[in-house]
Amino acid sequence: MTYQPAFPAAIQPAALALLEAMTTSQLARVHQGFQVNLQGELLSAPARLYCSPGDLRALIDHATGDHRTLALCLGTRHWNGYVREECLRRFIATDRPWTAPFLVQLLGEYVIEIVELIASTTPQATVQNLADFARENPKFMALTRQRATSYWDCYFRRHFPSLQTYPAIRTLNAMDALAQAA
């Protein structure tokens, strides 16, 4: 399915401009990724972006403030896992509600270095945004948990003998606990 971008009103113009800039060097067609609610508004992210890493880095480096953070969030949808990790490292400490879906989505992916980064460095300030996001998107959280469980079962069971010790599941459990406590 072809990607239909949608973002909260406050960031929609910036997101559309960034996506347009990213897709000018697109190497493949953009497909629909995840859709979530964010403070009552729809956010729809691409499955993957296939622009060149250099073009993406240049776009990020020329952006400032929230535009840069949004470009980094979109960079977590890049086809290259190293680029996704680099983008995550640069925005993980940002306290914006619209960063939460991009961070949570990565917990349901297969790159263990990214999962461990999220599990070990998610700042306390961001935790409330993650809990709010989890409360608003129970189906997305369940799907992310299913994906994380599947990757644990296929690739990481030997390293993490118990599912409950797998970093993605630990992080999702912590988010769920905070969401239920509030």
Side-chain angles (χ1 to χ4, degrees), residues 21-173:
M22 288 177 184
T23 57
T24 58
S25 70
Q26 196 74 14
L27 306 172
R29 206 166 130 196
V30 180
H31 294 282
Q32 185 65 47
F34 62 88
Q35 291 186 337
V36 296
N37 292 311
L38 193 60
Q39 298 176 329
E41 297 183 85
L42 179 67
L43 186 146
S44 175
R48 288 283 184 243
L49 291 172
Y50 294 93
C51 57
S52 77
D55 289 349
L56 176 61
R57 286 183 184 106
L59 183 64
I60 290 167
D61 290 343
H62 286 95
T64 59
D66 282 349
H67 285 96
R68 177 177 286 187
T69 303
L70 185 54
L72 290 165
C73 287
L74 290 169
T76 67
R77 308 311 314 137
H78 197 269
W79 60 269
N80 183 312
Y82 293 108
V83 173
R84 291 196 303 274
E85 181 180 359
E86 175 185 333
C87 289
L88 173 65
R89 282 185 185 283
R90 293 177 65 184
F91 87 81
I92 196 166
T94 304
D95 188 23
R96 295 283 187 269
W98 42 265
T99 63
F102 294 96
L103 192 143
V104 172
Q105 171 68 25
L106 292 169
L107 290 170
E109 294 187 6
Y110 59 89
V111 181
I112 190 65
E113 293 83 0
I114 291 175
V115 170
E116 290 177 329
L117 174 65
I118 295 168
S120 67
T121 63
T122 302
Q124 194 60 38
T126 306
V127 170
Q128 188 58 52
N129 286 333
L130 293 171
D132 293 344
F133 175 78
R135 203 171 19 267
E136 193 173 11
N137 294 280
K139 289 181 183 176
F140 182 75
M141 296 301 292
L143 179 61
T144 302
R145 181 178 298 279
Q146 290 168 357
R147 289 177 175 156
T149 300
S150 179
Y151 284 121
W152 166 79
D153 187 44
C154 288
Y155 303 112
F156 304 114
R157 184 184 280 259
R158 286 183 193 92
H159 189 68
F160 303 98
S162 164
L163 174 62
Q164 300 309 313
T165 63
Y166 181 53
I169 297 299
R170 282 194 341 259
T171 304
L172 290 166
N173 287 345

